[in-house]
Amino acid sequence: MSEITFDDPQIQQTYRAIGEKAPFVYGLTNYIAANLSANVLLAAGAGPAIGAGADWPAVFPAGAAGVWINTAAVMSNPAEVLRTVAAVAGEAGTPWVLDPVAHGAGAAEYDGVVKSLVELRPAVIRGNASELISLAGGATTGKGVETTAGSDDAVEHIERLARQSGAVVAVSGATDYITDGTRTVAVPGGDARLTKVTGAGCSLGALTAGAAAVIDDAFVAAVTAHAAYARAAELAAAQVGPTGGSGSFAVALVDGLYALAN
Protein backbone atom coordinates (compact mmCIF):
# COMPACT_ATOMS: atom_id res chain seq x y z
CA MET A 1 0.00 0.00 0.00
CA SER A 2 1.40 3.39 -0.96
CA GLU A 3 1.34 6.58 1.07
CA ILE A 4 0.30 9.93 -0.34
CA THR A 5 0.79 13.31 1.33
CA PHE A 6 0.15 16.90 0.36
CA ASP A 7 3.67 17.00 -1.10
CA ASP A 8 2.39 15.10 -4.14
CA PRO A 9 2.19 17.59 -7.06
CA GLN A 10 -1.18 16.27 -8.30
CA ILE A 11 -2.65 16.65 -4.83
CA GLN A 12 -1.42 20.23 -4.56
CA GLN A 13 -2.70 21.06 -8.04
CA THR A 14 -6.14 19.61 -7.33
CA TYR A 15 -6.46 21.38 -4.00
CA ARG A 16 -5.43 24.74 -5.44
CA ALA A 17 -7.90 24.24 -8.29
CA ILE A 18 -10.67 24.69 -5.70
CA GLY A 19 -9.59 28.29 -5.20
CA GLU A 20 -8.98 28.85 -8.90
CA LYS A 21 -12.42 27.57 -9.96
CA ALA A 22 -14.34 28.72 -6.86
CA PRO A 23 -17.04 26.03 -7.24
CA PHE A 24 -20.49 26.29 -5.71
CA VAL A 25 -20.74 23.44 -3.19
CA TYR A 26 -24.06 22.62 -1.58
CA GLY A 27 -24.56 20.55 1.52
CA LEU A 28 -26.85 19.26 4.20
CA THR A 29 -25.19 18.80 7.54
CA ASN A 30 -26.06 18.97 11.21
CA TYR A 31 -26.32 22.38 12.82
CA ILE A 32 -23.36 21.59 15.07
CA ALA A 33 -20.97 21.25 12.13
CA ALA A 34 -22.42 23.79 9.70
CA ASN A 35 -20.27 26.77 10.68
CA LEU A 36 -16.95 24.93 10.55
CA SER A 37 -17.92 23.17 7.32
CA ALA A 38 -18.67 26.50 5.64
CA ASN A 39 -15.42 28.03 6.89
CA VAL A 40 -13.39 25.03 5.70
CA LEU A 41 -14.84 25.36 2.19
CA LEU A 42 -14.34 29.12 2.15
CA ALA A 43 -10.73 28.70 3.25
CA ALA A 44 -10.12 26.33 0.34
CA GLY A 45 -11.74 28.78 -2.07
CA ALA A 46 -15.16 27.20 -2.65
CA GLY A 47 -18.53 28.91 -2.28
CA PRO A 48 -20.74 26.93 0.14
CA ALA A 49 -24.45 26.92 0.78
CA ILE A 50 -25.81 24.79 3.60
CA GLY A 51 -29.34 23.86 4.52
CA ALA A 52 -32.76 22.99 3.17
CA GLY A 53 -34.36 26.40 2.81
CA ALA A 54 -37.58 26.40 0.74
CA ASP A 55 -36.92 24.53 -2.53
CA TRP A 56 -33.13 24.42 -2.23
CA PRO A 57 -33.01 20.59 -2.02
CA ALA A 58 -34.78 20.27 -5.37
CA VAL A 59 -32.77 23.01 -7.12
CA PHE A 60 -29.30 23.52 -5.67
CA PRO A 61 -27.84 20.02 -6.22
CA ALA A 62 -28.33 20.39 -9.98
CA GLY A 63 -26.64 23.79 -10.06
CA ALA A 64 -23.80 22.92 -7.72
CA ALA A 65 -20.43 21.53 -8.77
CA GLY A 66 -20.30 19.31 -5.69
CA VAL A 67 -22.68 18.20 -2.93
CA TRP A 68 -22.27 16.59 0.46
CA ILE A 69 -24.80 14.98 2.77
CA ASN A 70 -23.97 14.48 6.42
CA THR A 71 -26.73 12.15 7.57
CA ALA A 72 -26.93 13.83 10.97
CA ALA A 73 -28.80 16.50 9.02
CA VAL A 74 -31.90 14.48 9.98
CA MET A 75 -31.62 16.33 13.30
CA SER A 76 -33.44 19.20 11.57
CA ASN A 77 -34.67 17.78 8.24
CA PRO A 78 -36.97 14.91 7.27
CA ALA A 79 -35.13 11.96 5.78
CA GLU A 80 -36.91 12.52 2.48
CA VAL A 81 -35.14 15.87 2.12
CA LEU A 82 -31.77 14.09 2.25
CA ARG A 83 -32.95 11.59 -0.34
CA THR A 84 -34.19 14.41 -2.58
CA VAL A 85 -30.79 16.08 -2.52
CA ALA A 86 -29.03 12.81 -3.35
CA ALA A 87 -31.47 11.97 -6.13
CA VAL A 88 -31.31 15.41 -7.74
CA ALA A 89 -27.51 15.39 -7.58
CA GLY A 90 -27.44 11.94 -9.17
CA GLU A 91 -29.82 12.94 -11.96
CA ALA A 92 -27.75 16.06 -12.70
CA GLY A 93 -24.44 14.23 -12.63
CA THR A 94 -23.23 16.27 -9.66
CA PRO A 95 -20.72 14.30 -7.58
CA TRP A 96 -21.89 13.94 -4.02
CA VAL A 97 -20.30 12.80 -0.78
CA LEU A 98 -22.03 10.80 1.95
CA ASP A 99 -20.94 11.04 5.59
CA PRO A 100 -22.85 8.31 7.52
CA VAL A 101 -22.47 9.85 10.97
CA ALA A 102 -23.22 7.42 13.83
CA HIS A 103 -24.22 4.55 11.56
CA GLY A 104 -24.14 1.33 13.58
CA ALA A 105 -24.63 3.03 16.94
CA GLY A 106 -27.88 1.18 17.58
CA ALA A 107 -30.51 3.44 15.97
CA ALA A 108 -32.12 1.06 13.49
CA GLU A 109 -34.45 3.57 11.81
CA TYR A 110 -31.59 6.00 11.32
CA ASP A 111 -29.35 3.25 9.90
CA GLY A 112 -32.09 2.53 7.39
CA VAL A 113 -31.97 6.15 6.20
CA VAL A 114 -28.22 5.89 5.71
CA LYS A 115 -28.52 2.70 3.69
CA SER A 116 -31.21 4.24 1.49
CA LEU A 117 -28.76 7.02 0.63
CA VAL A 118 -26.01 4.54 -0.24
CA GLU A 119 -28.41 3.10 -2.80
CA LEU A 120 -28.50 6.54 -4.50
CA ARG A 121 -24.86 6.12 -5.55
CA PRO A 122 -22.63 8.65 -3.79
CA ALA A 123 -19.29 9.33 -5.45
CA VAL A 124 -17.53 9.16 -2.07
CA ILE A 125 -18.46 7.74 1.32
CA ARG A 126 -16.31 8.97 4.19
CA GLY A 127 -16.50 8.48 7.91
CA ASN A 128 -14.83 7.04 10.96
CA ALA A 129 -13.88 3.40 11.42
CA SER A 130 -16.91 2.26 13.42
CA GLU A 131 -19.35 3.87 10.99
CA LEU A 132 -17.78 2.34 7.91
CA ILE A 133 -17.17 -1.10 9.41
CA SER A 134 -20.87 -1.21 10.29
CA LEU A 135 -21.96 0.09 6.89
CA ALA A 136 -19.88 -2.62 5.21
CA GLY A 137 -21.70 -5.27 7.24
CA GLY A 138 -19.21 -5.70 10.07
CA ALA A 139 -19.90 -5.70 13.79
CA THR A 140 -21.32 -2.44 15.13
CA THR A 141 -18.93 -0.81 17.57
CA GLY A 142 -19.70 2.91 17.61
CA LYS A 143 -20.79 4.84 20.68
CA GLY A 144 -22.98 7.61 19.35
CA VAL A 145 -20.88 9.64 16.94
CA GLU A 146 -17.57 8.35 18.35
CA THR A 147 -15.58 5.45 16.96
CA THR A 148 -14.31 2.62 19.11
CA ALA A 149 -12.20 1.16 16.28
CA GLY A 150 -9.03 2.40 14.66
CA SER A 151 -8.73 3.26 10.98
CA ASP A 152 -6.28 0.37 10.54
CA ASP A 153 -9.06 -2.01 11.62
CA ALA A 154 -11.34 -0.72 8.87
CA VAL A 155 -9.19 -1.21 5.76
CA GLU A 156 -10.59 -4.56 4.61
CA HIS A 157 -14.11 -3.35 5.40
CA ILE A 158 -13.85 -0.12 3.39
CA GLU A 159 -12.43 -2.07 0.45
CA ARG A 160 -15.48 -4.33 0.59
CA LEU A 161 -17.83 -1.36 0.94
CA ALA A 162 -16.25 0.31 -2.09
CA ARG A 163 -16.86 -2.80 -4.18
CA GLN A 164 -20.41 -3.14 -2.87
CA SER A 165 -21.40 0.47 -3.38
CA GLY A 166 -19.33 1.56 -6.36
CA ALA A 167 -18.17 4.57 -4.33
CA VAL A 168 -14.73 5.64 -3.26
CA VAL A 169 -14.58 5.06 0.50
CA ALA A 170 -12.39 6.97 2.94
CA VAL A 171 -11.86 6.31 6.62
CA SER A 172 -10.27 8.91 8.87
CA GLY A 173 -8.16 8.22 11.92
CA ALA A 174 -4.55 8.34 13.04
CA THR A 175 -3.85 7.41 9.42
CA ASP A 176 -6.53 7.94 6.79
CA TYR A 177 -7.19 5.28 4.15
CA ILE A 178 -8.90 5.82 0.83
CA THR A 179 -9.96 3.07 -1.57
CA ASP A 180 -11.97 2.47 -4.71
CA GLY A 181 -12.05 -1.25 -4.02
CA THR A 182 -8.98 -1.87 -6.18
CA ARG A 183 -6.55 0.88 -5.21
CA THR A 184 -5.99 1.68 -1.54
CA VAL A 185 -3.70 4.43 -0.28
CA ALA A 186 -2.74 5.68 3.16
CA VAL A 187 -2.67 9.37 4.06
CA PRO A 188 -0.56 9.88 7.18
CA GLY A 189 -0.25 12.99 9.30
CA GLY A 190 -2.67 15.28 11.06
CA ASP A 191 -2.90 15.94 14.77
CA ALA A 192 -4.76 14.27 17.62
CA ARG A 193 -6.54 17.54 18.44
CA LEU A 194 -8.74 17.03 15.38
CA THR A 195 -10.71 14.62 17.58
CA LYS A 196 -11.33 17.45 20.07
CA VAL A 197 -12.93 19.84 17.56
CA THR A 198 -16.67 19.43 17.04
CA GLY A 199 -17.47 18.98 13.38
CA ALA A 200 -13.91 18.37 12.23
CA GLY A 201 -14.77 15.06 10.57
CA CYS A 202 -18.03 16.44 9.20
CA SER A 203 -16.14 19.33 7.65
CA LEU A 204 -13.75 16.92 5.97
CA GLY A 205 -16.78 15.59 4.12
CA ALA A 206 -17.52 19.11 2.92
CA LEU A 207 -13.94 19.57 1.76
CA THR A 208 -14.12 16.26 -0.10
CA ALA A 209 -17.14 17.58 -1.99
CA GLY A 210 -15.16 20.71 -2.78
CA ALA A 211 -12.36 18.65 -4.28
CA ALA A 212 -14.83 16.45 -6.19
CA ALA A 213 -16.25 19.65 -7.67
CA VAL A 214 -13.02 20.44 -9.53
CA ILE A 215 -11.72 17.06 -10.70
CA ASP A 216 -13.54 14.26 -12.46
CA ASP A 217 -11.90 11.54 -10.39
CA ALA A 218 -13.52 10.80 -7.05
CA PHE A 219 -10.50 8.84 -5.85
CA VAL A 220 -8.10 11.74 -6.42
CA ALA A 221 -10.65 14.14 -4.93
CA ALA A 222 -10.93 12.12 -1.73
CA VAL A 223 -7.19 11.71 -1.39
CA THR A 224 -6.70 15.43 -2.01
CA ALA A 225 -9.14 16.47 0.70
CA HIS A 226 -7.68 14.11 3.28
CA ALA A 227 -4.08 15.03 2.46
CA ALA A 228 -4.84 18.75 2.63
CA TYR A 229 -6.69 18.31 5.93
CA ALA A 230 -3.80 16.34 7.42
CA ARG A 231 -1.27 18.96 6.36
CA ALA A 232 -3.46 21.82 7.59
CA ALA A 233 -3.73 20.07 10.97
CA GLU A 234 0.06 19.88 11.11
CA LEU A 235 0.31 23.58 10.29
CA ALA A 236 -2.25 24.28 13.02
CA ALA A 237 -0.25 22.24 15.51
CA ALA A 238 2.87 24.19 14.68
CA GLN A 239 1.00 27.48 15.03
CA VAL A 240 -0.54 26.83 18.45
CA GLY A 241 2.24 24.65 19.84
CA PRO A 242 2.00 21.46 21.87
CA THR A 243 0.07 23.13 24.69
CA GLY A 244 -2.42 24.98 22.48
CA GLY A 245 -6.02 24.13 23.24
CA SER A 246 -8.65 22.74 20.91
CA GLY A 247 -10.31 26.13 20.42
CA SER A 248 -7.20 27.86 19.08
CA PHE A 249 -6.38 24.70 17.14
CA ALA A 250 -9.73 24.84 15.33
CA VAL A 251 -9.10 28.41 14.19
CA ALA A 252 -5.56 27.52 13.14
CA LEU A 253 -6.89 24.56 11.14
CA VAL A 254 -8.95 26.90 8.98
CA ASP A 255 -5.92 29.17 8.66
CA GLY A 256 -3.87 26.19 7.53
CA LEU A 257 -6.36 25.27 4.81
CA TYR A 258 -6.33 28.87 3.62
CA ALA A 259 -2.52 28.94 3.53
CA LEU A 260 -2.37 25.75 1.46
CA ALA A 261 -4.74 27.27 -1.10
CA ASN A 262 -2.73 30.45 -1.54
Side-chain angles (χ1 to χ4, degrees), residues 28-158:
L28 294 181
T29 191
N30 61 80
Y31 53 78
I32 298 167
N35 182 264
L36 182 58
S37 296
N39 283 335
V40 161
L41 282 168
L42 288 167
I50 299 174
D55 56 350
W56 289 11
V59 176
F60 280 6
V67 167
W68 87 100
I69 299 173
N70 177 308
T71 54
V74 295
M75 295 162 67
S76 51
N77 299 279
E80 194 55 39
V81 169
L82 278 64
R83 286 190 281 262
T84 295
V85 170
V88 172
E91 290 167 4
T94 306
W96 69 279
V97 177
L98 176 64
D99 189 339
V101 175
H103 184 274
E109 181 180 352
Y110 173 80
D111 285 357
V113 173
V114 174
K115 290 176 181 175
S116 73
L117 289 166
V118 174
E119 293 172 359
L120 292 171
R121 308 286 292 182
V124 181
I125 302 171
R126 65 130 272 108
N128 68 37
S130 289
E131 293 159 353
L132 296 179
I133 289 171
S134 174
L135 194 57
T140 58
T141 62
K143 292 184 178 180
V145 300
E146 302 299 329
T147 186
T148 57
S151 55
D152 290 351
D153 302 322
V155 173
E156 65 178 271
H157 298 277
I158 66 170

Side-chain angles (χ1 to χ4, degrees), residues 5 14 26 28 57 100 117 123 147 173 179 185 200 202 241 257:
T5 70
T14 302
Y26 174 59
L28 294 181
L117 289 166
T147 186
T179 184
V185 300
C202 302
L257 290 166

